[in-house]
Amino acid sequence: MLEVKGLYKTFNPGSVNEKKALSGIDLTLNEGDFVTVIGGNGAGKSTMLNMIAGVYPVDRGTITIDGVNVTKLSEHRRAKYIGRVFQDPRMGTASDMWLEENLAIANRRGKFRGLNWAISGKERKEFKEMLAKLDLGLENRLTTKVGLLSGGQRQAVTLLMAVMNHPKLLLLDEHTAALDPKTAKNVLDLSDKFIEENHLTALMVTHNMRDAIAHGNRLIMMNEGKIILDVSGEEKKNLTVEELLEEFAKLSGSEFANDRALLSN
Amino acid sequence: MPFMNAMPGAITQGIIWGIMAIGVYITFKILDVADLTVDGSFATGGAVLVVLVTSGQNLYFAMLCAFLAGCLAGLVTGIFHTKFGIPAILAGILTQLSLYSVNLRIQGDMANLPFAYMNYKYPITLRNVSKTLLPVNVSKDNELLQMLTRFCNQSLLICVIISGVLIAVLYWFFGTERGHALRVTGSNLAMARANGINTDNNKIIGIVLSNGIVAMSGAILSQYQGFCDVNMGRGAIVIGLAAVIIGEVIFGKIFHNFALKLVATIVGGIIYYVVITLVLNLGMKANDLKLFTAIVVGIFLGIPYWKAQFTQRFSGRKAVEEEKEVAENA
């Protein structure tokens, strides 16, 4: 479903701030793969997701989604294939627009926006049903400004927006990192549910090793812009946090350094 | 009652500038871009109208051309901003500056083009602003009633109708899929792109539409006053902001509907002009008006910032005091 080949990215090349973010990423996701991504500070996890989403142009390499080479497509053109949830709950929704307006915008991702009404009556009914399934009491708040919702509610709404028109690929970039533990668990469970129900192919960056092991069918570990570990199936299910840390030390020759991971594990 | 006698004219001018302020509202409030093109495109609208009309063209065709000329000016700014990567304010200043030369060319190298000798037959003119349309005969002794009937003059009514139609059209447009795309672009760029919205194109569309409306209002103003002038748009952005902010300060708490917010902007323009007429009547020199306007707008723009500072400091102090109390009680 997703094929990344020889992806390189250097920020501020030739300057004192030069940062090699990605140094040759090769990654193939089969349809229905749910891959969790872990790695230390500056390992390139978010950069990899942003490159796939088209936020930055690539230096070298190709990105193919469902057989379509999207390497040269701009971010908004690629959006047709990709659903995204960001770390910052404020980033995935438009604060000063209504809940139903946000949902309607996501519902038209990848479609031409003309002069039809932005929201149809039929959609409103569908939105209500979808929101009811979130179980957050949002189904009666369609005309509430999203900025008035809590971080957890906004993240759940962004998740709904990301999956509502069945993207080829779902990108979750530490989407629970800014939430309190209980809300984070709810949003994570919701992600699991959506991915399973819609048979989505997904990449999830997380700082929490336990989450990385518990969710998805495959786990990759990144370090200095490279994928250094790729486990799936039974082997992944039986992993422990200790084994992962050991593995990291062995493969990278250094201690696992991720501020948030150290705090939360 | 010189002040009261000037009211029908002040309100008419207020509505005309209010229409311009709706253009400013689209960029400043919806797109979250400060577009200074308007100082130039306002005069462009006036210039195009006067030149076409004096050369014998139909008035409504001339209005349409004025609108399109404004759109073109907006397109230039939009391209400067999105395709050249120039910050919006600077892009607007560049276009505004170039429009000064362009406007002079349109006006045949004349800084000022009168056509008052023919504008009497057009619907919106200074001449009919004190002629009531009401079919009543008020005796000359009843000054108050006479003055009131003058509010029902042709220029004012037509300006009300134009702004009503404009607001209806914009209400429809911003309720469409395309209109929502523009709103999201102004609200959250990252989210807009992630949902397949071409933010560059939508910014251009917004700036084009805004300047089209501004130029149309410039065309109406030159029709009303009977001349166009290369300097008639100087400070238009500030007057537009004044109207937007006055409308927001007065009606922000009660008007939540988009159409009503636009109505509030028009009313903001009217209030601005009524206040200007008042201070002029109280003896302020006309040359000081721009200084006065800038100071008032500066203060109104500062109010939300000061409010936030004040509440922050206040709640901060309160929290410290509460902490102290807790410590003392323990």
Side-chain angles (χ1 to χ4, degrees):
Chain A
M1 187 55 74
L2 170 74
E3 208 180 337
V4 177
K5 265 195 203 151
L7 196 60
Y8 283 82
K9 182 71 190 176
T10 304
F11 290 112
N12 311 312
S15 77
V16 276
N17 292 323
E18 180 173 296
K19 165 94 183 111
K20 282 199 171 95
L22 297 180
S23 328
I25 296 282
D26 292 292
L27 178 68
T28 303
L29 263 61
N30 298 317
E31 197 166 344
D33 262 359
F34 177 7
V35 180
T36 56
V37 185
I38 54 170
N41 297 330
K45 313 179 294 284
S46 286
T47 307
M48 181 175 76
L49 257 60
N50 282 334
M51 304 288 297
I52 294 171
V55 178
Y56 318 113
V58 304
D59 289 350
R60 207 156 18 117
T62 58
I63 301 163
T64 312
I65 298 173
D66 198 23
V68 182
N69 185 343
V70 299
T71 318
K72 293 240 153 55
L73 286 189
S74 58
E75 187 181 354
H76 64 89
R77 285 190 188 279
R78 247 182 255 195
K80 178 156 92 180
Y81 310 105
I82 302 172
R84 284 158 77 192
V85 184
F86 309 90
Q87 181 177 341
D88 183 347
R90 283 168 303 184
M91 210 166 148
T93 43
S95 306
D96 45 16
M97 293 177 77
W98 290 348
L99 181 51
E100 63 173 19
E101 292 173 337
N102 272 276
L103 294 170
I105 281 154
N107 210 19
R108 281 164 185 70
R109 192 169 54 228
K111 295 188 190 113
F112 177 74
R113 289 163 211 264
L115 295 176
N116 293 319
W117 287 118
I119 310 169
S120 68
K122 185 167 150 264
E123 273 182 304
R124 247 181 219 117
K125 251 171 83 189
E126 288 168 6
F127 292 163
K128 258 192 167 169
E129 284 167 19
M130 288 182 206
L131 287 168
K133 280 188 202 154
L134 295 183
D135 214 10
L136 292 168
L138 292 176
E139 60 274 18
N140 297 318
R141 297 180 69 185
L142 281 177
T143 54
T144 299
K145 277 190 183 170
V146 170
L148 298 173
L149 304 181
S150 70
Q153 286 172 327
R154 286 183 79 162
Q155 224 43 346
V157 169
T158 311
L159 194 60
L160 176 62
M161 285 164 59
V163 301
M164 67 196 295
N165 46 12
H166 306 280
K168 305 273 184 213
L169 181 65
L170 177 66
L171 300 178
L172 308 170
D173 189 0
E174 298 214 40
H175 67 308
T176 61
L179 307 174
D180 66 79
K182 192 170 158 268
T183 316
K185 189 180 175 302
N186 290 341
V187 171
L188 211 50
D189 289 344
L190 199 62
S191 316
D192 268 350
K193 195 180 123 195
F194 279 142
I195 291 169
E196 198 178 294
E197 276 177 6
N198 300 303
H199 310 289
L200 296 175
T201 310
L203 261 175
M204 177 172 90
V205 173
T206 173
H207 60 267
N208 187 317
M209 293 207 176
R210 239 167 282 157
D211 287 344
I213 295 166
H215 298 268
N217 63 337
R218 189 171 152 196
L219 180 152
I220 61 177
M221 187 187 261
M222 290 181 69
N223 188 46
E224 292 179 356
K226 287 193 180 100
I227 295 173
I228 54 169
L229 181 72
D230 187 341
V231 286
S232 52
E234 282 301 306
E235 191 189 351
K236 178 201 172 255
K237 268 186 206 151
N238 299 327
L239 274 174
T240 64
V241 174
E242 288 73 25
E243 280 169 3
L244 268 182
L245 286 172
E246 251 173 58
E247 199 71 26
F248 183 86
K250 205 167 75 192
L251 290 165
S252 72
S254 65
E255 286 282 309
F256 187 83
N258 180 319
D259 309 332
R260 269 197 301 271
L262 292 178
L263 288 171
S264 63
N265 283 307
Chain B
M1 295 197 299
F3 170 62
M4 286 315 278
N5 279 334
M7 278 327 294
I11 291 176
T12 310
Q13 279 218 41
I15 297 175
I16 296 172
W17 285 96
I19 292 172
M20 193 225 49
I22 285 183
V24 172
Y25 186 96
I26 292 173
T27 46
F28 186 67
K29 296 302 286 186
I30 297 177
L31 278 185
D32 199 18
V33 159
D35 174 30
L36 302 192
T37 319
V38 293
D39 280 26
S41 55
F42 189 73
T44 305
V48 168
L49 181 101
V50 174
V51 166
L52 284 179
V53 160
T54 48
S55 71
Q57 295 292 340
N58 176 288
L59 175 74
Y60 300 98
F61 172 72
M63 291 274 282
L64 179 70
C65 290
F67 174 81
L68 294 176
C71 290
L72 204 61
L75 182 66
V76 173
T77 303
I79 289 174
F80 269 150
H81 176 42
T82 57
K83 310 292 178 200
F84 286 45
I86 301 172
I89 290 189
L90 195 50
I93 291 175
L94 287 178
T95 315
Q96 185 207 106
L97 181 72
S98 64
L99 281 177
Y100 185 81
S101 304
V102 173
N103 292 343
L104 275 172
R105 270 189 182 260
I106 295 175
Q107 293 177 195
D109 292 328
M110 304 268 279
N112 186 298
L113 267 191
F115 77 127
Y117 56 91
M118 60 192 297
N119 85 327
Y120 62 89
K121 57 182 181 192
Y122 295 135
I124 304 167
T125 75
L126 197 55
R127 289 175 198 226
N128 68 28
V129 88
S130 52
K131 276 190 210 132
T132 179
L133 290 179
L134 292 177
V136 285
N137 246 330
V138 182
S139 77
K140 288 229 159 106
D141 306 328
N142 197 340
E143 273 190 33
L144 180 75
L145 202 60
Q146 254 208 343
M147 198 269 307
L148 285 178
T149 55
R150 269 191 229 126
F151 280 104
C152 194
N153 68 67
Q154 193 186 322
S155 293
L156 199 153
L157 287 183
I158 291 175
C159 285
V160 169
I161 292 168
I162 292 177
S163 35
V165 170
L166 179 68
I167 289 171
V169 169
L170 289 179
Y171 183 77
W172 162 76
F173 177 70
F174 282 101
T176 64
E177 294 169 342
R178 177 54 55 190
H180 271 214
L182 257 77
R183 290 178 58 203
V184 183
T185 301
S187 175
N188 185 339
L189 279 177
M191 180 262 194
R193 290 197 194 109
N195 284 290
I197 290 169
N198 185 335
T199 49
D200 281 358
N201 283 356
N202 282 295
K203 276 186 190 169
I204 293 177
I205 292 173
I207 297 174
V208 163
L209 181 63
S210 159
N211 281 289
I213 293 169
V214 169
M216 193 182 75
S217 119
I220 297 173
L221 184 68
S222 55
Q223 192 191 143
Y224 171 79
Q225 62 191 14
F227 67 88
C228 65
D229 189 301
V230 274
N231 287 316
M232 72 189 239
R234 179 164 289 172
I237 179 73
V238 181
I239 298 175
L241 287 178
V244 170
I245 294 162
I246 294 170
E248 212 172 48
V249 166
I250 297 179
F251 301 106
K253 285 252 157 61
I254 44 174
F255 283 4
H256 295 293
N257 180 287
F258 179 67
L260 289 179
K261 283 181 183 172
L262 295 183
V263 171
T265 304
I266 296 269
V267 176
I270 295 175
I271 293 171
Y272 172 80
Y273 254 86
V274 169
V275 171
I276 292 294
T277 313
L278 183 67
V279 294
L280 283 177
N281 262 280
L282 291 177
M284 183 187 261
K285 274 164 69 182
N287 286 349
D288 292 339
L289 269 185
K290 294 224 189 310
L291 175 66
F292 173 77
T293 308
I295 292 172
V296 170
V297 171
I299 290 171
F300 271 103
L301 282 173
I303 286 174
Y305 176 74
W306 295 327
K307 245 190 191 162
Q309 291 262 310
F310 178 76
T311 43
Q312 237 175 23
R313 219 171 276 166
F314 187 70
S315 56
R317 211 174 285 163
K318 219 165 129 192
V320 171
E321 274 163 18
E322 273 168 13
E323 231 167 73
K324 256 191 204 159
E325 255 173 48
V326 172
E328 276 163 15
N329 290 341

